[in-house]
Amino acid sequence: MQTINLGIVAHVDAGKTSLTERLLHATGVIDRLGSVDAGTTQTDTGEIERRRGITIRSAVAAFGLPDRQVNLLDTPGHSDFVAEVERALGVLDAAILVLSAVEGVQPHSRRIMRILRSLRLPTLIFVNKVDRTGARTDELVADVRRLLTPAVAPLGTVRAPGTPEAAFRLDDPRYDRSGAHRLAEALAEHDDELLATLVDDLPPDPDRIDKALRVQVAAGQVHPLLFGSALSGAGVPELLDAITALLPASPPAEPETRARVFAIERDPAGERVAYLRSYGGELRARQRVIAYRREPDGQITATRARITRLDVTGAPTGQAEPTGRDDGPAALTAGYIARVTGLSGVRLGDQLGSSAGLDGRSYFPAPTLEAVVRPRDPARTLALHAALLDIADTDPFIRTRVAPDGGTSVLLYGEVQREVLAATLAEAYGIEAEFGTGRLMHVERPTGTGSAVEIIGHGFFGTVGFRVEPGSAVDYRLEVELGSLPLSFHKAIEEATRAALDQGCHGWPVTDIRVTLTHSGYWSPITTAGHFRDLAPYVLMQALAEAGTRVYEPCRRFEAEVPADRLGAVTSYLGRLGARIDGTDEIAAGWRIGGVLPARLEPEAQRRLPDLSSGEGLWSTVPGGDRLVSGDPPHRPRTDGNPFDRVEYLRFLAQSRNRNGSGR
């Protein structure tokens, strides 16, 4: 049987989880529809998800269509949980983008569609909530063309939109000439035969339209659009037909075993459960495997593990063999998804069996909000840090650091994620935590070249010298012979160097830098790897201080739509605020203004826009890189709010540990 791994993606509250529930009900998987508000849906299984009524973790459910099994991935819609969406995108064969007929095209929908188009992922657009008061149809299609993609192909029309009787009717190209003409126009850009038919003003061939539609959907060149309601079921049969007829199945199996980890959760007993999507080969319970991982520096590492339990999603009742029997259909094969236990050290993005395809690309930018978290009981500080490290394995965008005063900070996307993280710490780890006020993360880049060296015998049990200069990302190089130190010492120096770049001269992470190890030496058998772990950051910070760094602040790329008579007032205000306006475009409703604004100023711009646009302005943003901070650069404070001299602190740390010979 063919399989297709299909993702449901949307802006929060578009009705994504309700649509998942309706699809499962329509295909006979569940007998009764669950409710998001009541916390009874199949895919929102976590207590926090049920209580808040939002999806936090990607969930998988399977249903059957003629000659095909659909593995449905319900992903979070809130922008605070894009890490879950990112990992799901990497294992999908196709997607359904859900929009609300009332709220229309929302900011997160635009961000997701931009990625779907860049991936050329076959995508259907389902406009939900056509039975709600205020539902729009033709106007919304125009918004989709303007804001999401011009390559949209509506497949039918809506009767009685905005009423409980709303229904969706497919256009049949064989009998509906106007519908056939609309479809042909949408497909003609990539089909010369249809284009010639339209130019000659001839009726398009329905069979040709069907063929072109399937080909272009599979290539991600055109996106069919359907209307409906997840609550009433309107349009859902037509959506299921489109999934069967238009979306391509999973590609053929690869010759070698390869399976990717795209989600991690903990079962009620606290055991780690990994979700794998297979591309080739077989995996079974009790099998020993090699897990490959691409590290931040680009290197690929490998670890051995053993599968203890394997449940294939959608396996017929009685055939899943979760107990680990070595025969039968318990094997995970190409195109299928399984829940696996036993992989205690696995992280999101790891691959089992092969390192092919570990490109390390990221579709969403890293979070820019840093918040300090402390346990209410100071005795649980170490337990809190361990819990945050464990949670970070399930969310690659959460990063933690421990400051000199013992506080722990995390990187987050927003307030909702912070609230969920606090609830997770309390419910899953038994730690009551308090979060401080979030602050925007900046970055530092070197402005010149700097060097420093500390020689063995001058208070240290090792020699380390560095040269730092502008580069790309973090580029670590050797100018000494590889054999000048044991490999474990080289590894300790590099690891300590990369970790130290989390805090530059002003306390912010350092990027776009080349670090070259210029001097090395040790005393045998006195020197240990721990001595180098303490010494390397101190020497690195000396070299970085000589090179000098500049601080850059995060920015947002914005689009503001305003009435024609308010263009001057809005552009003038944005200019005074500090925005760089890239251009203005005339649109049907007035003008669209595009540009870049420092992230710290976005809340003020959003607050003022309604007044400046007579209540008719629309505002949306996506991450927009960073820009140099003018004036005195801000310092990243310690977790207690006070600045500190990092070089002096590292000198004290390195000398005290080297002199007493502790070395870690």
Side-chain angles (χ1 to χ4, degrees):
M1 176 182 288
Q2 290 183 325
T3 60
I4 176 173
N5 294 291
L6 180 62
I8 306 286
V9 293
H11 188 96
V12 67
D13 290 335
K16 179 176 44 58
T17 299
S18 296
L19 178 60
T20 299
E21 198 78 3
R22 175 61 69 173
L23 291 171
L24 296 177
H25 182 266
T27 53
V29 176
I30 57 176
D31 298 327
R32 181 181 302 175
L33 286 169
S35 166
V36 173
D37 293 336
T40 56
T41 59
Q42 294 293 307
T43 52
D44 284 347
T45 57
E47 179 59 32
I48 301 174
E49 292 178 310
R50 294 183 183 277
R51 188 169 63 247
R52 296 186 63 95
I54 61 173
T55 300
I56 297 171
R57 299 294 183 198
S58 296
V60 183
F63 62 84
L65 293 175
D67 300 321
R68 176 178 291 190
Q69 174 177 308
V70 178
N71 297 319
L72 199 64
L73 278 71
D74 180 16
T75 65
H78 200 288
S79 59
D80 280 10
F81 305 103
V82 295
E84 291 290 321
V85 181
E86 166 150 317
R87 294 306 174 186
L89 288 174
V91 300
L92 295 182
D93 301 311
I96 299 175
L97 175 63
V98 183
L99 304 177
S100 167
V102 179
E103 286 80 13
V105 177
Q106 296 170 285
H108 194 49
S109 304
R110 299 178 68 178
R111 187 177 306 135
I112 293 174
M113 189 63 187
R114 188 177 294 113
I115 295 169
L116 294 174
R117 292 180 64 191
S118 69
L119 294 174
R120 291 288 186 180
L121 196 68
T123 302
L124 303 177
I125 299 175
F126 184 79
V127 180
N128 190 27
K129 303 183 181 181
V130 295
D131 54 346
R132 273 185 48 187
T133 302
R136 299 175 298 145
T137 56
D138 293 345
E139 180 186 352
L140 182 54
V141 172
D143 287 345
V144 170
R145 285 199 176 97
R146 180 170 55 88
L147 299 174
L148 290 183
T149 172
V152 60
L155 299 185
T157 56
V158 181
R159 176 178 58 82
T163 71
E165 293 75 32
F168 178 67
R169 181 181 66 85
L170 281 174
D171 294 333
D172 190 334
R174 289 167 177 78
Y175 306 106
D176 189 330
R177 296 191 63 178
S178 63
H181 192 81
R182 287 195 298 270
L183 268 178
E185 287 183 330
L187 300 168
E189 182 178 350
H190 301 286
D191 190 300
D192 293 340
E193 184 177 327
L194 282 176
L195 179 61
T197 299
L198 295 176
V199 171
D200 294 338
D201 200 22
L202 298 174
D205 177 19
D207 291 334
R208 181 65 192 177
I209 290 177
D210 286 345
K211 179 181 178 181
L213 185 60
R214 288 194 300 272
V215 170
Q216 293 187 31
V217 169
Q221 295 172 329
V222 70
H223 308 289
L225 183 146
L226 304 91
F227 290 88
S229 169
L231 293 182
S232 72
V236 172
E238 290 79 5
L239 177 61
L240 288 169
D241 289 342
I243 293 172
T244 301
L246 299 178
L247 296 182
S250 298
E254 298 176 1
E256 62 179 344
T257 298
R258 181 167 77 95
R260 176 170 295 182
V261 179
F262 68 89
I264 296 176
E265 65 181 19
R266 289 194 178 275
D267 63 17
E271 187 172 12
R272 178 172 294 197
V273 179
Y275 284 81
L276 308 180
R277 184 258 163 91
S278 174
Y279 294 90
E282 288 189 354
L283 290 174
R284 294 178 180 272
R286 297 206 293 250
Q287 181 175 341
R288 295 189 181 279
V289 296
I290 297 178
Y292 294 91
R293 175 181 304 158
R294 183 175 290 276
E295 302 291 353
D297 60 2
Q299 297 183 16
I300 293 179
T301 59
T303 57
R304 296 185 180 275
R306 183 175 181 270
I307 297 172
T308 58
R309 180 184 176 98
L310 185 147
D311 299 317
V312 179
T313 299
T317 302
Q319 297 184 24
E321 301 293 349
T323 55
R325 204 174 68 191
D326 288 333
D327 58 353
L332 173 63
T333 56
Y336 285 88
I337 287 173
R339 300 174 75 250
V340 174
T341 60
L343 310 177
S344 58
V346 75
R347 295 181 187 172
L348 284 170
D350 288 0
Q351 281 191 170
L352 272 58
S354 171
S355 62
L358 279 177
D359 53 15
R361 61 181 169 177
S362 181
Y363 308 120
F364 295 95
T368 58
L369 188 68
E370 183 182 41
V372 176
V373 55
R374 290 186 175 85
R376 292 181 181 174
D377 178 3
R380 307 219 60 192
T381 298
L382 292 179
L384 171 65
H385 187 63
L388 289 171
L389 289 175
D390 189 51
I391 293 172
D393 281 346
T394 67
D395 187 337
F397 287 140
I398 290 180
R399 292 179 57 194
T400 67
R401 74 176 180 111
V402 179
D405 68 340
T408 303
S409 69
V410 294
L411 290 183
L412 302 171
Y413 279 101
E415 295 300 317
V416 174
Q417 187 185 20
R418 183 169 68 174
E419 294 173 12
V420 169
L421 184 56
T424 301
L425 288 169
E427 297 174 13
Y429 298 91
I431 301 173
E432 296 291 335
E434 296 178 340
F435 287 74
T437 303
R439 55 175 174 261
L440 287 171
M441 284 292 293
H442 294 56
V443 296
E444 296 182 41
R445 293 184 173 93
T447 58
T449 300
S451 300
V453 62
E454 291 292 342
I455 304 298
I456 194 169
H458 292 71
F460 303 102
F461 290 147
T463 293
V464 170
F466 284 123
R467 182 177 64 252
V468 301
E469 56 197 315
S472 177
V474 175
D475 182 10
Y476 180 84
R477 301 186 177 190
L478 297 180
E479 204 172 81
V480 299
E481 293 292 335
L482 187 61
S484 63
L485 296 174
L487 289 179
S488 61
F489 291 2
H490 275 297
K491 183 178 180 180
I493 293 173
E494 181 175 357
E495 289 178 349
T497 298
R498 292 183 181 278
L501 289 174
D502 181 61
Q503 300 177 70
C505 298
H506 303 281
W508 305 106
V510 182
T511 188
D512 297 333
I513 183 173
R514 176 183 296 167
V515 180
T516 304
L517 181 64
T518 58
H519 297 76
S520 63
Y522 72 106
W523 276 336
S524 177
I526 299 175
T527 310
T528 67
H531 292 125
F532 285 109
R533 292 185 189 278
D534 291 330
L535 179 58
Y538 169 50
V539 180
L540 176 69
M541 286 301 108
Q542 291 184 76
L544 196 62
E546 181 178 292
T549 64
R550 290 181 177 177
V551 178
Y552 294 75
E553 64 179 329
C555 293
R556 305 285 291 179
R557 180 164 293 280
F558 67 86
E559 284 189 359
E561 297 182 12
V562 299
D565 62 343
R566 307 307 299 165
L567 175 64
V570 174
T571 55
S572 177
Y573 168 74
L574 290 174
R576 293 196 306 271
L577 191 61
R580 186 191 73 226
I581 297 176
D582 296 334
T584 56
D585 300 309
E586 191 170 8
I587 58 177
W591 289 86
R592 181 169 59 242
I593 308 167
V596 177
L597 180 76
R600 59 185 166 82
L601 300 176
E602 184 184 5
E604 177 65 16
Q606 285 182 294
R607 187 183 67 82
R608 288 281 290 139
L609 185 63
D611 291 339
L612 294 169
S613 61
S614 302
E616 298 181 24
L618 297 176
W619 177 271
S620 64
T621 62
V622 295
D626 54 49
R627 67 164 61 169
L628 179 65
V629 173
S630 59
D632 294 334
H635 282 71
R636 185 186 192 184
R638 297 188 304 187
T639 55
D640 61 5
N642 298 314
F644 69 96
D645 189 321
R646 180 158 170 75
V647 174
E648 284 303 306
Y649 168 73
L650 290 171
R651 180 193 61 77
F652 167 77
L653 186 70
Q655 287 189 332
S656 62
R657 285 181 171 162
N658 273 261
R659 282 171 177 167
N660 65 29
S662 63
R664 289 170 298 172

